[in-house]
Amino acid sequence: MALTESRTPTDARTVGAPETATLDGLIGSADHKTLGRFWIAGGLFFLLGSLVVSAVAALETIDLSSFTVASDADQFTQIWSLGREVLLFGGVLPVFVGLATYLVPLQIGAPAIAFARGAAAAFWAWLLGTVLLIVSYIFNGGPGGGKADFVVLWTVSLGLVILALLWATVIVATTALGARTIGMTLDRVPFATWSFLVFCLYGILTLPVVVADLALTYVRVRHGFVALDARQTLVGVTNLFTYAPTLFWLAIPALGMAADAVGVHTGRPVMLRKPVLAAIGALSVTSFGAVYYSFGSVRPIDFNNFVLVADIAATVLPILGVLGLAGESIRRGTPRLNVAFIGSMLGGLLFLLASVAALLGLFEPVQLWLIDNADTGNPDKLLVLNGTTFHDGLRGIVVGAVVLAITGALHHWAPKIWGRRMAEPLGFGAVLAAALGGVLWGLGGILAGVDNQPAYPVSSLAGGDNVELYNLITLIGILAVTAGALLTALNAAQSAVGRNTAAGGAAWSGLTLEWATTSPPSPGNFDQPPVVRSATPLADAPAQPTTGTDAGGEA
Amino acid sequence: MTDISLYQRIPVDVPESTPARPRLLLIATSLVAAATVVGYVGLTAWYAHVRQGVLGTDQPWLPSGVTIPLTQPNFMLLTMVFSAVAMAWALSAVRHDDRPNAFIAFALTLMFGFAQIAQTAYLLTLMNLPAAGNPAAALIYTMVGVQLATTAMAMGYVVAMALRTLGGGYSARDYEGVLSATVFWFTNVGVYIILWYAVYITK
């Protein structure tokens, strides 16, 4: 069969078949379950690393009188930028892609992911790109870097990372759109799959903007159009995804997974499916951030402000809607107060907090108040907090929310992914640390931004009178989020190596298709293609083929 | 009136029909095409942004002595339009199992692709735009370079699908791959039209 040939689900069953434990079998695997685990493990690893680097950058700002960790402003910018880029492109996005790669085929009743070898290529390209990205910083490249060759390597490696993620999102979206089993219409797909589809389409329609910018930056750096000390130009390449509103892209899969988990752990599937699907889809309106980013200076500045504020305002309502409908399930059902449930809900609440904070920070009356009452040092009426650590604070809350969402999702689907549950005590520790850390990180960053601390220094560290205290709060927040992520990673590793409790023949009493097969699923996922007649196929028991051993099991 | 006896002649042991094969390649190609357009529009936006900034300072956009002739870009536009027609011809021929016409059309499409690349190289020679020292050069070279890369990718896709057709993989019964290559080729033509208007016409 030629590489260009698309495979039928039946063909894909054989492609996804090898589940060998040998090293060459693992490295050469095109099975979506193996690749999903790889993405999750790699993503968690780099997430932890990036959080440590972010903590180092925060440590530097505890004392504004001089540089202690970094040698100068350039090196500080490198540390800050490395943490920010790897956090997003090396940590958070890969974990979400991994969960999508693992879960989407199972939830839609497909035997394999579309373009299985392409999915493997995406993972290995991402891994190579992320390693090269870190190498480029180590050898004095990246924004603030002093060696032209390694600044060029930074553009190339970041481009490779983003292209690999882009390709992975194309594959997941293609799977969700084209490989659904019989009867699985789009309005019947589980919330997680729907959210991954929206998440991937969002990525497909926004990530290329950054790739284009990187191509331009490559030419500019290579031919000397951009001086190496033009940090603002180089840092700005990834601003689109690290600033609101595009930052709230990450809320889409978090809310979808939460809706699935809440339905299972309350014993009451979330009511009003279509409004929930619509609300998750509505979050994609933040993709207009790409328009703002691309055409920002071409349009009148008042219009830009309107677009930005409207865009962020549009994130609050969908998040509130999904949480409200999930709350209705909690009210009607009997919630199990476990990590999957609490982590998912707290993640959603933290996203809500971040979106409200973003809206308030950019709302014109608030900005006018800041001009009158705070030492922002920015005479413009518009976006008075731009360029300050205000956006770092927002990102901090979002990172806390993401760690909570990942913790909740991994606890919920660990029996499916590794055949073992994750330990609840460790999980509660992770949830507590991530929630507390996200709030503190956000509080410190936002207050320091209002107190006129730039996101990265031009020549020396600067800020208002209380900035050092705020930075200490930020540092404590980052350390707490790091602890949460570390506990989750250790917990997941224990499940992966078989040290946690085996799920046995029973998992949660989920009603979606992934619970209709064994845990972990066998090659090909299902003995025969499932036939779906509703959004809760396992509730239609007579219509289901007997494909697994743990369907409908209760913990 | 329906002759019920016709139905009775259907043997009872006929297996159930298999579900229609999902058009995964077409879906994926459409998504990649959408991503390509978004990326190129983003690049064009940067071009407009920087150009507006330079013109706002009463500075010339292009360095003195540099001109962008219109003849070559217009001929390239014609070339791309012809290539789109040739690609549509290839698709139509495969759909009708007309293999000789299909291979002529594939070859013509590729020839037009090569012609566009050659004309671009000639145009860049004529423009003689210095690679350093002005803000326009980086943007123009990036936009032209990305469009050439898109053409190269589209040509590779067409070659792969032509070979698959040659091997009997695609025919009137299943022509998804050729349709997908056509979608991507049309996207490539669209990208060139953006380049043509934004850089060569608007300058």
Side-chain angles (χ1 to χ4, degrees):
Chain A
M1 181 173 279
L3 286 174
T4 51
E5 186 170 345
S6 59
R7 297 171 185 283
T8 62
T10 311
D11 294 333
R13 183 178 299 231
T14 55
V15 172
E19 187 79 17
T20 44
T22 58
L23 187 61
D24 57 336
L26 286 173
I27 291 174
S29 176
D31 177 31
H32 74 97
K33 297 180 286 293
T34 305
L35 291 171
R37 292 183 194 118
F38 279 179
W39 277 111
I40 293 168
L44 284 174
F45 177 78
F46 287 116
L47 175 66
L48 280 169
S50 66
L51 285 169
V52 170
V53 173
S54 299
V56 170
L59 181 65
E60 180 65 78
T61 59
I62 298 288
D63 177 9
L64 295 184
S65 60
S66 63
F67 289 103
T68 47
V69 181
S71 59
D72 54 18
D74 282 339
Q75 199 173 60
F76 177 85
T77 306
Q78 286 176 299
I79 296 170
W80 174 81
S81 178
L82 172 65
R84 194 175 77 144
E85 285 166 9
V86 176
L87 180 72
L88 184 67
F89 299 111
V92 173
L93 291 180
V95 174
F96 281 156
V97 166
L99 285 164
T101 301
Y102 196 99
L103 292 173
V104 167
L106 289 170
Q107 289 202 323
I108 61 171
I113 198 162
F115 308 108
R117 293 189 193 110
F123 171 76
W124 293 110
W126 164 80
L127 187 63
L128 175 67
T130 307
V131 171
L132 285 177
L133 179 68
I134 294 167
V135 166
S136 75
Y137 275 101
I138 290 172
F139 288 96
N140 201 12
K147 287 190 178 174
D149 285 346
F150 287 97
V151 178
V152 169
L153 179 63
W154 168 76
T155 61
V156 174
S157 56
L158 190 55
L160 180 62
V161 167
I162 297 175
L163 281 174
L165 289 168
L166 187 59
W167 179 229
T169 58
V170 166
I171 288 171
V172 172
T174 303
T175 307
L177 287 171
R180 282 170 281 126
T181 191
I182 303 160
M184 180 65 84
T185 52
L186 267 182
D187 62 337
R188 287 177 181 169
V189 297
F191 293 122
T193 290
W194 172 256
S195 68
F196 285 131
L197 174 60
V198 175
F199 170 78
C200 290
L201 292 178
Y202 190 125
I204 290 164
L205 295 178
T206 50
L207 284 171
V209 175
V210 181
V211 176
D213 199 358
L214 279 167
L216 179 60
T217 306
Y218 171 83
V219 174
R220 283 172 153 180
V221 173
R222 181 106 199 206
H223 294 284
F225 296 117
V226 170
L228 292 182
D229 58 358
R231 281 173 288 161
Q232 194 173 359
T233 304
L234 299 178
V235 163
V237 172
T238 52
N239 274 354
L240 171 61
F241 286 94
T242 51
Y243 276 32
T246 315
L247 191 59
F248 295 108
W249 178 32
L250 304 176
I252 295 172
L255 288 177
M257 293 188 295
D260 265 359
V262 166
V264 170
H265 296 284
T266 56
R268 295 272 183 176
V270 174
M271 285 177 66
L272 302 173
R273 274 185 58 78
K274 286 184 180 173
V276 174
L277 296 177
I280 291 171
L283 268 171
S284 62
V285 78
T286 59
S287 63
F288 283 107
V291 177
Y292 167 78
Y293 177 78
S294 296
F295 291 92
S297 302
V298 182
R299 296 224 171 112
I301 204 160
D302 285 343
F303 181 75
N304 275 335
N305 195 26
F306 168 77
V307 169
L308 193 59
V309 172
D311 212 344
I312 295 172
T315 64
V316 177
L317 288 177
I319 295 175
L320 203 55
V322 175
L323 290 177
L325 290 166
E328 180 62 14
S329 286
I330 297 168
R331 195 182 67 79
R332 290 183 305 121
T334 314
R336 299 185 196 113
L337 296 178
N338 55 21
V339 176
F341 173 76
I342 294 174
S344 301
M345 285 304 292
L346 277 180
L349 287 172
L350 230 52
F351 268 116
L352 183 65
L353 176 67
S355 61
V356 170
L359 186 60
L360 284 177
L362 297 169
F363 199 47
E364 192 164 355
V366 175
Q367 300 219 345
L368 291 173
W369 181 87
L370 286 171
I371 290 168
D372 291 339
N373 297 285
D375 180 24
T376 61
N378 186 343
D380 294 338
K381 271 177 63 179
L382 189 76
L383 305 180
V384 73
L385 295 171
N386 245 12
T388 71
T389 54
F390 173 77
H391 291 278
D392 287 332
L394 290 183
R395 193 163 54 252
I397 305 175
V398 167
V399 173
V402 164
V403 172
L404 285 167
I406 290 171
T407 303
L410 287 179
H411 273 260
H412 181 63
W413 281 292
K416 191 55 53 185
I417 298 174
W418 296 293
R420 290 176 181 273
R421 293 172 186 277
M422 286 168 64
E424 289 285 306
L426 271 182
F428 276 117
V431 165
L432 186 66
L436 188 67
V439 171
L440 288 178
W441 188 347
L443 187 69
I446 288 170
L447 290 176
V450 171
D451 207 9
N452 196 26
Q453 178 172 245
Y456 53 92
V458 177
S459 56
S460 58
L461 297 166
D465 296 338
N466 298 318
V467 156
E468 290 177 348
L469 172 65
Y470 301 146
N471 291 339
L472 181 63
I473 296 172
T474 301
L475 176 62
I476 294 169
I478 296 174
L479 291 175
V481 172
T482 309
L486 181 63
L487 288 175
T488 297
L490 287 175
N491 208 346
Q494 283 193 342
S495 287
V497 299
R499 299 181 92 177
N500 280 340
T501 313
W508 317 116
S509 50
L511 299 176
T512 43
L513 278 184
E514 76 269 32
W515 304 108
T517 184
T518 51
S519 299
S522 54
N525 295 341
F526 302 93
D527 293 341
Q528 52 185 300
V531 179
V532 173
R533 292 185 172 79
S534 76
T536 51
L538 296 196
D540 312 328
Q544 283 303 309
T546 51
T547 54
T549 58
D550 61 353
E554 182 60 64
Chain B
M1 192 169 174
T2 309
D3 182 3
I4 294 178
S5 64
L6 286 174
Y7 292 95
Q8 290 170 344
R9 285 185 213 157
I10 298 173
V12 291
D13 57 346
V14 168
E16 285 184 30
S17 63
T18 53
R21 196 167 72 84
R23 307 178 92 184
L24 299 180
L25 189 57
L26 183 59
I27 295 170
T29 304
S30 303
L31 294 174
V32 171
T36 306
V37 170
V38 167
Y40 209 74
V41 169
L43 200 52
T44 309
W46 274 114
Y47 181 86
H49 164 74
V50 176
R51 182 174 172 275
Q52 189 191 41
V54 171
L55 294 179
T57 59
D58 293 332
Q59 298 290 315
W61 174 233
L62 293 173
S64 61
V66 173
T67 55
I68 301 179
L70 277 178
T71 310
Q72 288 75 23
N74 290 343
F75 263 96
M76 277 193 275
L77 181 66
L78 273 178
T79 307
M80 294 307 276
V81 170
F82 287 152
S83 75
V85 172
M87 195 64 221
W89 177 21
L91 174 64
S92 172
V94 173
R95 287 178 68 176
H96 292 93
D97 273 339
D98 184 353
R99 289 165 63 84
N101 267 298
F103 291 119
I104 292 171
F106 277 132
L108 273 177
T109 307
L110 292 172
M111 190 193 74
F112 286 130
F114 278 119
Q116 196 259 322
I117 292 172
Q119 286 179 90
T120 302
Y122 179 55
L123 175 64
L124 291 178
T125 311
L126 286 180
M127 281 165 58
N128 198 23
L129 180 64
N134 67 89
L139 279 156
I140 291 175
Y141 281 122
T142 305
M143 289 190 69
V144 171
V146 170
Q147 193 275 325
L148 286 179
T150 312
T151 300
M153 280 166 50
M155 288 173 67
Y157 203 170
V158 169
V159 167
M161 292 306 123
L163 289 174
R164 294 251 329 125
T165 308
L166 185 67
Y170 292 120
S171 61
R173 194 177 61 84
D174 175 15
Y175 50 86
E176 183 196 0
V178 183
L179 178 60
S180 305
T182 307
V183 166
F184 196 71
W185 191 271
F186 282 18
T187 304
N188 178 40
V189 175
V191 165
Y192 177 76
I193 290 172
I194 296 173
L195 173 70
W196 173 76
Y197 184 75
V199 174
Y200 297 146
I201 298 298
T202 309
K203 297 186 173 60

